[in-house]
Amino acid sequence: MRRALTWKRRSSKPTCSWNMAELESQDLAEPVSPGETTKSGARPADRHGLLQHSREFLDFFWDIAKPEQETRLEATEKLLEYLRPRPKGSEMKYALKRLITGLGVGRETARPCYSLALAQLLQSFEDIPLCSILEQIKEKYDLQRVKKAMVRPALFAHLFGVLALFQSGRLVKDQEALMKSVKLLQVLAQHHNHLQEQPQKALVDILSEVPETTLKEILPKVLKADLGVVLSSPENLELFLLAQQKVPAKLEKLLGPVDLFSDENIPRLVTVLKMAAASVKKERKLPAVALDLLRLALQENKLPRFWNDVLEQGLLKKQFLPASFLCFRLLGAALPLLSKKQLQLVMQGDIIRHYGEHLVTAKLPDRFRFAPEMDEYVSAFLEGCQTDPEQQLAVLVAFSSITNQGHPVVPTFWRVVRFLSPRALKDYVAWLRDMFLQPNLDSLVDFSTSNQKKNQDASLHVPERAVFRLRKWIGLRLVSIVENSQVEKEETLVEEVARFCLFHSFFETKKPTAQIPETEQRLSFPLESRTREVVCSAFFSLLQALSTQFRQVPGQTPGGRPWTYRLVQFADTLLNHNRNVATVTPFTAQQRQAWDRMLQTLKELEARSVEVRATAFQHLLLLVGIHLFKSPAESCDLLGDIQTCIEKSLEGKPRRTRSKAVDSQEPPWVEVLVEILLALLAQPSHLMRQVARSVFGHICSHLTPRALQLILDVLNPDKSQDEDDNVVVTDEEQPKSMSRDDSDSEEEEKEEEESDVEEESDEEARDGDVDQGFREQLMAVLQAGKALGGADSEDEQEEELGDEAMMALDQSLASLFAEQKLRIQAKKDEKSKLQKENVLRRDFQIRVLDLVEVLVTKQPENPLVLELLEPLLTIIRRSMRTSSSKQEQDLLHKTARIFTHHLCRARHYCHDVGNHVEALHAQLERLVQQAGRQADSSVALYYFNASLYLLRVLKGNTANALPLKTPKKQKASAKAKVPEATSCLDLKRVTPVYSSALSSFLSKRNSPLTVPMFLSLFCRHPVLCKSLLPIMIQHVTGPVRPRQQAQACLLLQKALSMGELRPCFEHSEWEQLIGQVLAKVTENLRTLGKAEGKSEQQRELSSLELLVTLLKTIHVQKLTVDLTTILGLLQGLQPSLQQSLQQGAHSAGSNRLYDLYWQAMKFLGVQRPKSAKKDTKGIPSDTQSPISMKRKKKGFLPETKKRKKRKPEDATEQDAKPAAPGGNQPPSSGKKKRRRTKATASAQSQVNEKPAAKNPAPSTLITSPSTPATTTTSPSTPAKTPKLQKKQQKLSQVNGATLTESAGKKHQKRLPKKGVSGKSPQPTLPRKKPRLSLANGSPSLLRSGAKKKVQLKKGVKP
């Protein structure tokens, strides 16, 4: 009878499963003869020693089955290292049995782990016979005797056992074990319901590694001489292909000559491949049998028959997705195996066309996309054949030729081109260029989807449409190759692409010439205007990419010239050859003159290329000159203004003044150039945006107030306030209209119906708000048709109105409502127009903010930066109020980032305010007042930070222009006031501003100002904090609300804690200030513990925190302050606080209140009573029996310590019982513990003047200065810091077990000194409290576990 055990480990690991337990039970309950059992107990002793001694060894097997791969590998390595010194010990035998048991565990994820570990073990120890392992597996999992419920684990145990032998690398060398494994796999193959095709796959893997001689012997046993059986499953076919490859003679002798690709066998091959495709549906990989069939077809020169008949006409016609994916994977895997001719055969068939259709239709989010997998196949092929550029070109051209009605299916930005060799890349670009000029539609593998075939529109199937789609893709493809930084390309290739795009964007050939290669290229289809627009857009995108690469690699072009300069020279060459080349849009005389003048200016700038400013102007001229071909009229005017500005900027000297320039007939060049940059920013071009930023960065040092005002006018929302307010109403309808405009063409009819319904509902909603004019017109029409009769009845109306009158009335009403509908539509169109204008305006403002960012970043010391504060704050305030759209949010975020990070937090600021000190003070006052009037605290924070920035500017400027009166007789505080005395900051004017703001904050119910704002002010400007302290002290008490009192306490606490504030006071002033604050706090704390609401409770907490800060300041700085009043007040409040806490009627903040109370008492010299915490836990009651105390201690100890401490505990108890004084001490205490308890109790009795036998109450620990038993001084007299007491406390904490009675007396003498002065030591950390309890001798269960060695010594002493 098998014993069913559950074996639990000593560690915290879970209980072993039934398989592990079965091994243990089999190992423990193995039948032994009675003689052996009586002769020696070796087996039980060894077994017990193995389990007890090798705990680390047993942990290896638990870690092997864990899901983490690193843990499994590490456990396997440690197991092998553990077994190497003892290859023939009991550990090896146990390890083999344990791993074999793990092969059939119930967890499926653990079986491969044990199989791999067994393989590593067999590989490391080659003296272990493989046949014995097989026998142990068969014996452990006997398929004949196993229970029905355990058949599946037993089958998998056999399978993973064979795989372990194979993975060890020794199975192929061991003939006997190999034959047994093959027979076992054949037996396992019969259990297809559980193992499916895994045994056959394992057999094929094993036979693929055996030598040919061994395979010849095994082949007749594993492969039947029947072709029908071979073509019945993918595994048998794979075994046949393996034999065909390794032992063809033996296979021919067994089966005779076999032609797999005959007409009779092709349907069977299709069926087998379909089965193989279904078997790897979840794995998404290529079956090995399909690739072996392809190799066989290539070997027998039957690729066309296999590809056409088996794949395209057979497997692809099954309309089975896994079969289609098998064909796609086989196509990708076949690329390295095919020649150029075979590649043309493969890439022109139905499979590649079906693949293209899959790419087009698989763009939906819930469809599986095969494109990434095919990209991996193509990338691997291109990377592997770097030495064969022709093959690379053939594959890339073949995939680029898969088109959907002329448009290639591969993306324009195809990442596989990074693996092309330079020659292949050059040939590929040449092929793209030739296909653009002369599209060969017959060479393309074109297809149409099912939906496209259903569309009968003839215009969708004309060659011109396919040519346009192809040329559009080629233009973007050429540009993407140049833009891809991972592609290694030559400079000549980049120039060819750029010249090609420029020529076909703006020029056309009149007569070919050899001087211009682009004119010799003939077009088979004329270029349409829309094609030129696409190429033009791609060309400017290419310019942006080249400009970026030029900044990264300055030497990319000869002489360091930008690519734009070379293209401008090429365009000038084309313009000069007017007989051979003509522009698509001919230049006028003025435009040609502007072009020539631009070239002349470029030469002048090139002579001054050393200057950075000249380089920026050169970029601007080149870019606007190129745009002369795109928009001649606008660019011509810009070129003239830019050239004039450049000439004046290079001639004159830069003037940096805040005053306006003298009025003249023409504005300064900076203002004109700023207007030009604003005009360029209005264009939706990222390259324009970059060039505008670059140019403005070089001219911002010459900026004038008028030029800055041009920028601020764009950002000023008040200028278009009325328009913005009108558009805000329609913001909610914007997503609906946008979604209708962006929908697909297939849903247009449904959307039109929905829009009609929405229009009707809108009209019904507007019926209630019809204007009065329409009502009057409607009444007039009805009265003219006599449809409204006052006192006439309906019968009379019917008699008066005939058919003609009714028809006329209907026509009048129809025309009237048609006019009303037109008016409504006109209003709707007007609102939509305003909305679009608003979108464009916001986008323009976001772009213009780039100029502001450049100014504050590169010129932070420019006085003009100060004029940006209020405009930026206006944008922030308005955007926070109306930030409904994404554009508004982007505008808000960018403005806030510039204002906060680049302006207010900048390291540098303006040091030359000139004569504008008065204006800055007025602006500061205005900003603080506006901060207090805001409705949102987040907006008020920006205004307050702006005022702090102005404070910083005024403080950092010298008072040359505005002399301030400074006191000369101050001696002690002169050093603290020197910075303010020599700066432009007028404290007499600024202090009332912030005083008013602070008073408003501490008196208003809902103030937008916050505590962090004033704390930032105090930290940066301590002198202002000194002036504002009386206001805070005043609001600590008084008729204000409790919430404001709490905020005043918090401000005072943070302000007094700042180190910057103390140097502003003399010693006597500082002591007087601390005394005033302490008096206010004392008045506040008289109602401590009586809070009814949340605000009152917060006031109590803030008052106590302020008190703790005051006491800490008094103690650290050794101030002489009278603490008698606050000490007496707190001592009187202690019973009520403790009672309320013990009763449980307290909120969540009461514990915090109680802790703060005792922090304050500790600074006053009164320690928190420890008995209140530990009487109920550590001290046993008198009625508790010694047995219960003993059991409690045993139960508290860990399980591993019970046996080790059993004998010493008994000895300790025997020694301790005769010396026990009474029932007050626990029975397990020793002699030293009694001494320590007596010493502490006598010390406490002397302090509290009570007997030592009684426990002191919590209130008796609070000492008063007037107590006669304590040797103290008055509270106002500073006492010395007891450093000696600290040292002795540390010694007593470390050596708590050897504390004597004399140490207790010393501790008792120094204890009263803590309750008087504000210079008491800092409170001890929480981690030292257990040590203090041990030193005081309080009985605690923690002592028995912590002082184990001391108790052992007690048991030894007599």
Side-chain angles (χ1 to χ4, degrees), residues 723-734 831 835:
E723 296 179 359
D724 290 344
D725 294 340
N726 292 333
V727 178
V728 168
V729 181
T730 61
D731 281 347
E732 298 178 356
E733 299 177 359
Q734 181 181 359
K831 289 183 179 180
Q835 184 178 358

Side-chain angles (χ1 to χ4, degrees), residues 1046-1221:
Q1047 290 174 339
C1049 292
L1050 180 59
L1051 282 174
L1052 272 175
Q1053 177 202 353
K1054 300 296 182 181
L1056 295 177
S1057 301
M1058 293 188 307
E1060 298 88 352
L1061 184 63
R1062 180 62 184 88
C1064 299
F1065 289 87
E1066 295 182 357
H1067 186 72
S1068 59
E1069 293 179 349
W1070 183 250
E1071 284 188 349
Q1072 184 179 1
L1073 174 67
I1074 297 297
Q1076 292 177 1
V1077 178
L1078 185 62
K1080 290 287 185 180
V1081 174
T1082 305
E1083 184 179 351
N1084 245 2
L1085 292 177
R1086 296 190 184 279
T1087 59
L1088 185 65
K1090 302 178 182 179
E1092 297 180 356
K1094 186 176 180 181
S1095 58
E1096 296 179 355
Q1097 184 182 7
Q1098 185 63 36
R1099 179 188 61 185
E1100 293 180 351
L1101 289 173
S1102 301
S1103 301
L1104 277 177
E1105 289 174 353
L1106 177 58
L1107 176 62
V1108 171
T1109 303
L1110 291 173
L1111 295 177
K1112 183 178 179 181
T1113 304
I1114 294 171
H1115 170 72
V1116 172
Q1117 300 181 8
K1118 300 180 180 180
L1119 303 178
T1120 305
V1121 181
D1122 187 9
L1123 302 178
T1124 309
T1125 305
I1126 187 64
L1127 178 61
L1129 175 64
L1130 293 180
Q1131 284 180 339
L1133 293 173
Q1134 192 258 342
S1136 61
L1137 286 177
Q1138 186 176 4
Q1139 183 179 3
S1140 63
L1141 189 67
Q1142 291 177 352
Q1143 289 177 356
H1146 59 280
S1147 60
S1150 297
N1151 292 326
R1152 171 67 178 161
L1153 186 72
Y1154 199 65
D1155 293 339
L1156 288 173
Y1157 169 81
W1158 281 110
Q1159 287 182 23
M1161 295 295 287
K1162 191 172 186 64
F1163 278 109
L1164 293 172
V1166 181
Q1167 295 292 335
R1168 189 170 184 171
K1170 302 178 180 63
S1171 58
K1173 291 184 178 180
K1174 301 182 179 180
D1175 280 346
T1176 58
K1177 296 180 180 179
I1179 301 177
S1181 61
D1182 297 338
T1183 59
Q1184 188 175 4
S1185 63
I1187 300 177
S1188 63
M1189 187 62 188
K1190 182 179 179 181
R1191 288 178 181 175
K1192 190 172 183 181
K1193 289 189 66 176
K1194 285 181 63 179
F1196 182 80
L1197 292 175
E1199 295 292 335
T1200 54
K1201 296 183 179 180
K1202 282 185 178 180
R1203 297 178 181 176
K1204 295 180 182 180
K1205 292 193 63 177
R1206 183 174 297 166
K1207 292 182 180 180
E1209 280 183 0
D1210 295 340
T1212 305
E1213 291 176 2
Q1214 292 175 3
D1215 295 340
K1217 283 181 180 178

Side-chain angles (χ1 to χ4, degrees), residues 54 131 137 424 432 651 719 790 1003 1118 1230:
S54 303
C131 293
I137 294 174
L432 290 173
E651 289 174 359
K719 189 175 180 180
S1003 59
K1118 300 180 180 180

Side-chain angles (χ1 to χ4, degrees), residues 347-377:
M347 299 300 292
Q348 294 288 335
D350 293 338
I351 291 180
I352 199 66
R353 187 175 285 105
H354 189 61
Y355 170 71
E357 188 175 355
H358 163 75
L359 292 184
V360 175
T361 57
K363 293 181 179 179
L364 299 177
D366 57 342
R367 301 290 295 274
F368 170 69
R369 297 176 180 85
F370 192 79
E373 195 170 343
M374 182 61 76
D375 290 348
E376 293 179 2
Y377 280 116

